[in-house]
Amino acid sequence: MIRITKQTDYGIVIASHMATDPERRFSTAEIAEETHLPTPMVSKILKLLAREELLDSHRGVHGGYALARTPQEIQISEVIAALEGPIAITECVDDSPGLCSQEAICPMRSNWQIINGAIKQALDGISLAEMTRPLVTERLVPLGGGETLHT
């Protein structure tokens, strides 16, 4: 099973919640209360998203966190990468050479790279703005060779 972590799931919930009011500065406590998520986890996620420049952090009485760009300009793939690292379904598609001992002789590597590219492309195609509303029930996902997958 391929699954994102709870932290990343919460990160997408938090970022999507912030996208519903993109001009607002949110405190950690407000986000935790409004999303019903644990305050320590919210705090950790906000710091990670700010470190990756997806959020701006403001200090002071009227401080808090705000989206660094418009919700339309922030892709779900960026949120995932900020919290999980590069999107790589297997070690051989990660940009770090030498992680897989079979890398040089593996006949599956190019196939995994194509699959990973399709997943990344799908995640690149969904913005925070889209996450604030239901996605279209059927989306077309381009496959190699001019085919399309209806999802």
Side-chain angles (χ1 to χ4, degrees):
M1 173 184 326
I2 300 171
R3 185 175 266 197
I4 62 172
T5 64
K6 186 182 293 190
Q7 175 177 286
T8 299
D9 184 20
Y10 288 173
I12 292 169
V13 168
I14 291 167
S16 298
H17 179 71
M18 294 176 75
T20 63
D21 193 357
E23 302 300 317
R24 179 178 164 195
R25 287 187 187 166
F26 294 83
S27 72
T28 301
E30 288 171 330
I31 292 175
E33 182 179 331
E34 293 169 11
T35 60
H36 307 285
L37 297 174
T39 303
M41 179 67 86
V42 170
S43 177
K44 179 180 179 181
I45 291 168
L46 291 172
K47 288 175 186 171
L48 290 170
L49 294 176
R51 186 184 74 202
E52 294 299 318
E53 299 181 355
L54 295 176
L55 301 180
D56 289 327
S57 173
H58 303 273
R59 294 182 182 266
V61 177
H62 300 291
Y65 291 91
L67 295 177
R69 303 188 310 262
T70 68
Q72 295 81 4
E73 296 173 316
I74 299 174
Q75 305 307 312
I76 290 303
S77 60
E78 294 179 89
V79 177
I80 294 170
L83 299 170
E84 298 267 349
I87 295 170
I89 194 165
T90 64
E91 288 181 348
C92 65
V93 294
D94 190 350
D95 289 334
S96 306
L99 287 179
C100 176
S101 62
Q102 302 298 312
E103 185 175 332
I105 60 168
C106 180
M108 299 295 117
R109 183 166 193 224
S110 62
N111 294 336
W112 281 122
Q113 289 174 328
I114 292 167
I115 292 166
N116 197 79
I119 291 169
K120 179 146 178 13
Q121 182 179 12
L123 294 170
D124 284 344
I126 301 171
S127 71
L128 278 182
E130 290 174 295
M131 291 299 286
T132 64
R133 57 188 185 275
L135 292 175
V136 180
T137 351
E138 183 178 293
R139 292 183 56 124
L140 300 178
V141 178
L143 301 173
E147 299 173 21
T148 339
L149 172 66
H150 297 268
T151 59

